[in-house]
Amino acid sequence: EEEEEKEKQRREIKVCTKKECRRLGSQKTIEFLEERAGKFDLRVTSVKCLSECGMGPNVELPCGTVLNGVKGEERCLKALARTLNEGEECDFVD
């Protein structure tokens, strides 16, 4: 029960896995982020849509900012860095 509460408190990165984002590579984005998230007390979850289809893979940071085209190591690391540096308050500038 204590572990479950800790999991709920973790900052969450959401990755769209609906058709278009999946076609653009969101599964690899999830895998990359999941491999690194535990080190930073983050959790990665898949969601069905972030309403920015065609610009994916789309990722929502804990602060609510949606990033487009998050695929490949560089973009994934930028998303993680922004989350870690800004916490709950972030403005992503590419």
Side-chain angles (χ1 to χ4, degrees):
E1 204 171 292
E2 192 174 308
E3 277 298 313
E4 191 175 307
E5 191 59 35
K6 280 184 181 179
E7 182 65 24
K8 285 181 185 176
Q9 292 175 358
R10 280 185 168 181
R11 288 181 293 169
E12 180 179 40
I13 296 175
K14 298 175 183 174
V15 181
C16 178
T17 56
K18 200 159 181 187
K19 186 177 180 179
E20 188 64 16
C21 282
R22 191 173 57 244
R23 186 184 69 76
L24 293 169
S26 66
Q27 190 57 45
K28 286 185 181 178
T29 298
I30 288 174
E31 291 168 10
F32 185 91
L33 292 173
E34 281 180 337
E35 287 173 10
R36 289 151 183 84
K39 297 175 189 172
F40 305 108
D41 202 31
L42 299 169
R43 66 182 161 140
V44 179
T45 58
S46 62
V47 295
K48 288 297 175 194
C49 192
L50 294 171
S51 299
E52 299 196 18
C53 306
M55 296 184 284
N58 298 311
V59 172
E60 183 178 313
L61 303 181
C63 63
T65 297
V66 175
L67 309 181
N68 306 119
V70 182
K71 61 181 175 182
E73 186 173 346
E74 183 179 351
R75 292 285 295 166
C76 288
L77 289 174
K78 281 184 179 182
L80 282 174
R82 179 57 68 184
T83 299
L84 297 171
N85 290 333
E86 302 292 339
E88 302 300 319
E89 303 293 325
C90 61
D91 292 311
F92 188 81
V93 178
D94 197 10

